[in-house]
Amino acid sequence: MSILVVGAIHHDVIVDAPSIPRLDETLPGSAVRYAFGGKGGNQAVIAGKLGRELGVSVAMAACVGSDPAGVDALAVLDGADVSTKQIQRVESPSGMSVAISLPDGGYGAVIVSASNTKFDAENLDIDDQTQWILLQNELPQAINEAVAGRAKEIGAKILLNAAPARSLADSLTCSLDLVVVNRVEAADLLGTSEAALIPASAVTELQEKLSCPIILTLGGEGLWLADGEVAQQHVPAYRVPVVSTHGAGDAFVGALAVCLCRGDDLIDAARFASAAAALHVSTPIDQRDQITHQAIQALIQTSSR
């Protein structure tokens, strides 16, 4: 049982602030911290830690710079039991992001892709035992298309976390086996506004548009899914106090991939991933390394919905 994550790695600078600054406004912040990040990187770490407990191996393919941030990124992946054999190194700065974390747990961020854009899909060696490949929209679409095409040659399934929001080429969508989106990304793909989005209808429209199962995540409103076999289904969110939503979507996708790799059906995998994301947002950032399969199962068993 194995997963390959192909995506971006960022050095995150996270600032606590009272609000998102307006144009030309400077605000005083209350704290700053530095963290390993990138959607692909975060998903690989979550999957690696859970996979270590559940017998699922995880590898990461990415491109980092020769700077200290690149060295640190490899150490984080090694610590999560994520194979780094497919990590490429280039003589340029590593990717980075600046995130503003708000008192209510919300956040906004800016990413600089840097070395991530230099990933060479032609030099990617996909193990023929790989079952699931995770992609996101932080890498150029041409890279995702090349990876998806090669994955299909060995029979691996493709999970696309379509974040950040952007249009998807037909040459990519024809290879997808599952797409995970949030409200913003769903609205963008359907050409509508967030305000006009009706989740129960949107997830079915996306399933028909992309010809694969869809999971639409809605934070505290839970999620909707459609797989083409049954009517769209709603999974309520777990009621937890929110510390920070930063990285919640990545925790969901990483946990989801591990469950799917183990053979869980989509609805059970989505429920587990929802609990993993709930535990993520309700745990202080410096304690998230302690989130385990056992802790997630405990939340599922004891939480009132």
Side-chain angles (χ1 to χ4, degrees), residues 251-275:
F252 179 91
V253 172
L256 179 73
V258 170
C259 289
L260 293 174
C261 198
R262 294 179 70 226
D264 293 359
D265 63 30
L266 187 60
I267 184 64
D268 287 341
R271 288 189 179 116
F272 179 87
S274 179

Side-chain angles (χ1 to χ4, degrees), residues 43 132-137 141 144 157-169 172-182 185-186 189 202-217 223-227 249 252-253 256 260 266 270:
Q43 290 168 17
W132 281 91
I133 294 180
L134 273 59
L135 300 174
Q136 315 80 33
N137 281 346
Q141 185 152 241
N144 281 350
K157 294 183 178 181
I158 302 292
L159 189 168
L160 173 69
N161 177 208
R166 71 181 179 199
S167 60
L168 302 177
L172 175 62
T173 59
C174 67
S175 298
L176 301 178
D177 297 284
L178 175 62
V179 174
V180 177
V181 292
N182 65 17
E185 295 137 15
L189 287 170
V203 72
T204 300
E205 291 179 46
L206 284 170
Q207 191 273 326
E208 294 173 350
K209 177 182 177 69
L210 301 180
S211 300
C212 69
I214 304 292
I215 294 179
L216 169 57
T217 61
L223 63 87
W224 284 85
L225 62 83
D227 63 5
F252 179 91
V253 172
L256 179 73
L260 293 174
L266 187 60

Side-chain angles (χ1 to χ4, degrees), residues 94-206:
S94 295
M96 65 89 65
S97 75
V98 177
I100 298 176
S101 181
L102 304 179
D104 65 358
Y107 75 100
V110 175
I111 64 172
V112 179
S113 294
S115 63
N116 291 293
T117 63
K118 301 180 183 297
F119 180 78
D120 185 356
E122 293 302 317
N123 285 331
L124 174 63
D125 182 15
I126 303 177
D127 190 301
D128 60 10
Q129 299 302 307
T130 301
Q131 293 168 276
W132 281 91
I133 294 180
L134 273 59
L135 300 174
Q136 315 80 33
N137 281 346
E138 285 183 334
L139 293 184
Q141 185 152 241
I143 292 177
N144 281 350
E145 291 178 39
V147 172
R150 295 186 60 193
K152 287 304 171 183
E153 294 175 2
I154 65 166
K157 294 183 178 181
I158 302 292
L159 189 168
L160 173 69
N161 177 208
R166 71 181 179 199
S167 60
L168 302 177
D170 291 343
S171 53
L172 175 62
T173 59
C174 67
S175 298
L176 301 178
D177 297 284
L178 175 62
V179 174
V180 177
V181 292
N182 65 17
R183 189 189 304 270
V184 173
E185 295 137 15
D188 184 77
L189 287 170
L190 292 174
T192 187
S193 67
E194 292 179 58
L197 193 76
I198 301 172
S201 301
V203 72
T204 300
E205 291 179 46
L206 284 170

